Amino acid sequence: MKFDITDGQIGFVLPTAVPPYSTTSFSRMLAVEDDKDAHSLWNTCILLPFRSKFREGTGMCSIVSLFSDLHPSLLLFLHRLKCIKFKNLFDDTLLIMRREVLGDGIVRISHGIETMSWLVVSKRLQGTIVRHDVCTTEIAVAFTLQQTEKGDYEPYLKQQPVFAFLPLRNYGLKFILQGDFVLPSSREEVDADSAWNQWLLSEFPSLFVSAQESFCVLPCFERRPGKAVTAFLSFIPLAGEVHGFFSQLPHLILSKLRLTRCMFLDGSTVQWVYPCNTLRGWDEQTKMLLSEGLLHEHLGLGYLSKDIVISDNLSRALGIHDYGPNILLDTISSICRIDGCIESLGLEWLCAWFVNLYLTLLSHSSRNVSSARSFEDVLLDKVRKIPCIPLSDGSFSSVSDGPIWLPYDVVSSIPECRSSIQNFPVLYGNLRTVSPNLLSACCKNKYLMEEVRINDLADMLQKIGVRRLSGHDIIKNHIMVSLRNGLDANVADRMIREYLSFIMVHLQSSCTSCNFEKEGIVSELRKSPIFLTNHGYKSPADEPIHFSKDYGNSVDVSRLLQNVEISWIELDSSYLIHHGSESSSFEREKWRRFFEEMGVTDFVQVVKVEKSLSQVDSLLARGLSLADVSAKPCTVYDW
C-alpha cells in the first residue's frame, strides 16, 4: 500500500493498494548479523514517496530527522508489529526498534543500544453495550519504568501521550492510555462528543486501580510491597494536572482509590486497609503515646507503613490522616466521652499528651507561619471545652466550666504565696487548681522519649486558658466574679472574711497590675454589701460605716449618742482576729488603711457636694438681688 496525496482526495491519510511488490532488495539492505528477524516474511510493505522538491536540499534532511525521532512506544499497542528498522541511506545508518513481551505484564522495547520498559495492564470490554457493531474492545494503561543497575524498576514520570494504537498528544498524564477512541481525520484530538469515547473513559479508573496489584507482583517489589505501592502512587494524577477530554480522570481515579484497600499498615504482616483508615507522619514518640490499640479504638486508624512514600497533596486527596494537633485533639475528645477512660490512662499519659500537643503546635506554626495563629486559636478553643484537666480534688474539668489555676510552686508570681495558702484555706480550697501530680509526671515519663521541662507543660496549660496563680488574678478572676454571682450561705461568712483579708494584703503589696486596676477594684468593692458590721453586711456606698474602738477610734460615740434614736453602723472586729493576725500583714494599721480606702470613717462622714448654678432666676429665688449676682455661672459647695 502507499500514502499518496495525488491518488484520491485524502490519499495522504487513507492508504491505497499497490500491485504486488518484491521486498527482497529491502530485506538484503536491512539485514544485519545475528538478526533473528532476517528470515521472517513481510506481510505488509508501506511506500512513502517523497515529492521531487524534497529529494535534495534541507527539506530532505528535515524529513529524515523526523524518522530518526521515532519513539519506541510506537510498538506498544501495534500487536502484530514487533520490529521497526530504519535505514538512512544518506549516512548509511540503521536503527532497529524491537518489542519483547516479558512476564508479569512488562513490555521491553530496545531502541538501538538503549531499552525502555513499560508495565502494561489491559482489560477487555464488551463493546456491544454502546456499539452494536463492536463485539469486544480492549483498553490498556502503560506505566513507563526505567531499570536500575541492580535490575529493579523505578517510575519514569514524564508526561505521556494518549494512544489510539498510535500516539495522539499529551493531556498531562504521567502514564499512557490506550483505547480504540473515535478520532477525527486529523488524529489530533479525542472526539469529546462521542458516547463511545465517554464510555471508554469511564472504564479507565477501575483499570488504573487494578494496576496496583500488577506492581506488587513484580519480582523486584514482591518482598517490598511499600516500594510497589510508592511506585504506583507516583503515577496518580491530581486535579488540575490533566486537561482536555481527560480532565475528569484524576477525580474518577481518586474516588475509586478512596474506596479501595490500597494502603497497608506498619507491622510484620501486610494488612491492607482503606486510605482514610491510615495515619502518616508518625514517629516512635507517637507510638509511645498512642498505642496501636488506642489509636484504633478511638479514631479507627492504624499507622501507615513507613515504606510507603506519598506526597502531601496526594495524601490529602486520598483522605489519609496526618499526625499533628488535630489527631491529638480528636483522641482526647473521644477518651473524655467514655466514663473512666481518662482516669484509667493516668496522669503520666495525660502529661505526655499535653507535652506532645505543645510540641506539635510549635512544629505546625514553624511550617505554616501565615495561618498558624488562626489554626492554633481554633484548636485551643476546642480543647478549652474538653474536660481533660485534672484538678487537685481528683476530678477532671475544662476551662470553659470556670477558671482553673496552676499550683503555686509552678510559678514565682507572688512571694507570699506559700503562706497565703495556709492563711486562706477556704479561699484556696475553693479555687480549681491543676493537680500537682500532673506537673510532677514530666520527670521520667514512660510515654516520653526525652525528659521535658515542666515549663513546657505549664506553657501548654496556659495556652488552653489555665491561669497563673497570682494574687491579682485571684482577685480579678475569682473573688470579684464570685462576689458578683453571689455566695453560698453556708460558707459566706468565712469566705467573705477571707476574701476581704486577701484583698487587703494584696492591695498593700507591690503589685504592678494594681497601678492600673486598683481604683476599679476599690470602686466595685465599695458598692458590694460584703462588709460585716453590727447591723449585718453593709455597703459603704449605700450607708456610712464607722470604725469601732477596736480599730483605734478615739471618738466614744456611745457617750455622744446617749438617749438618741440613731442607727450607728460600726465595722465588726472579727477581721482583726483572723487566724493569721500574728503576721505583720494583718496589723491593725493595715486594716485601717484598707477600710479607709473603702470609705469607712471614725466619726460622721462629711461629704462635699458641688452644684453649678447658671441661671439668675435660681439665685433670685434664694433672696439675692440683681446687684449681688452676675450672669456668669457659679459653683456652690455644700458639706
Side-chain angles (χ1 to χ4, degrees), residues 447-502:
Y447 298 103
L448 295 171
M449 296 185 68
E450 298 180 3
E451 189 171 328
V452 297
R453 301 176 307 147
I454 193 172
N455 285 349
D456 290 343
L457 176 58
D459 288 346
M460 187 64 249
L461 290 172
Q462 288 182 85
K463 279 179 176 288
I464 296 172
V466 176
R467 302 178 184 276
R468 296 173 69 93
L469 194 63
S470 70
H472 191 82
D473 281 339
I474 290 176
I475 292 173
K476 287 283 292 181
N477 298 297
H478 178 72
I479 295 179
M480 303 306 290
V481 173
S482 298
L483 293 178
R484 294 187 202 109
N485 296 337
L487 296 169
D488 189 335
N490 296 326
V491 297
D493 288 345
R494 189 174 178 185
M495 180 69 77
I496 293 178
R497 188 161 56 247
E498 285 199 9
Y499 280 179
L500 285 180
S501 300
F502 187 89

Side-chain angles (χ1 to χ4, degrees), residues 231-302:
F232 168 71
L233 294 177
S234 64
F235 287 101
I236 297 176
L238 296 176
E241 293 180 353
V242 185
H243 47 84
F245 176 71
F246 298 93
S247 60
Q248 292 301 312
L249 193 59
H251 171 72
L252 298 173
I253 290 176
L254 290 170
S255 298
K256 195 79 175 177
L257 279 171
R258 283 194 288 266
L259 300 176
T260 306
R261 297 179 186 268
C262 57
M263 300 291 166
F264 65 90
L265 301 180
D266 181 65
S268 56
T269 58
V270 177
Q271 181 183 354
W272 294 96
V273 295
Y274 297 106
C276 63
N277 294 134
T278 61
L279 178 69
R280 70 189 282 261
W282 55 272
D283 55 19
E284 291 306 315
Q285 170 61 76
T286 310
K287 296 188 77 172
M288 289 182 69
L289 178 68
L290 305 177
S291 65
E292 292 179 357
L294 189 70
L295 187 66
H296 183 267
E297 177 186 357
H298 292 283
L299 300 184
L301 301 179

Side-chain angles (χ1 to χ4, degrees), residues 508-566:
Q508 296 184 27
S509 68
S510 57
C511 173
T512 55
S513 299
C514 285
N515 294 337
F516 306 99
E517 299 187 84
K518 180 178 180 179
E519 185 176 342
I521 294 173
V522 171
S523 175
E524 187 171 351
L525 286 173
R526 284 175 180 165
K527 301 173 184 177
S528 304
I530 57 173
F531 296 85
L532 185 60
T533 70
N534 56 348
H535 291 276
Y537 286 100
K538 299 293 181 181
S539 165
D542 296 333
E543 299 178 80
I545 301 176
H546 308 90
F547 289 112
S548 65
K549 286 183 178 181
D550 294 331
Y551 288 94
N553 189 350
S554 60
V555 179
D556 189 356
V557 179
S558 62
R559 292 179 59 189
L560 294 175
L561 298 180
Q562 288 180 358
N563 304 319
V564 176
E565 293 292 333
I566 188 172

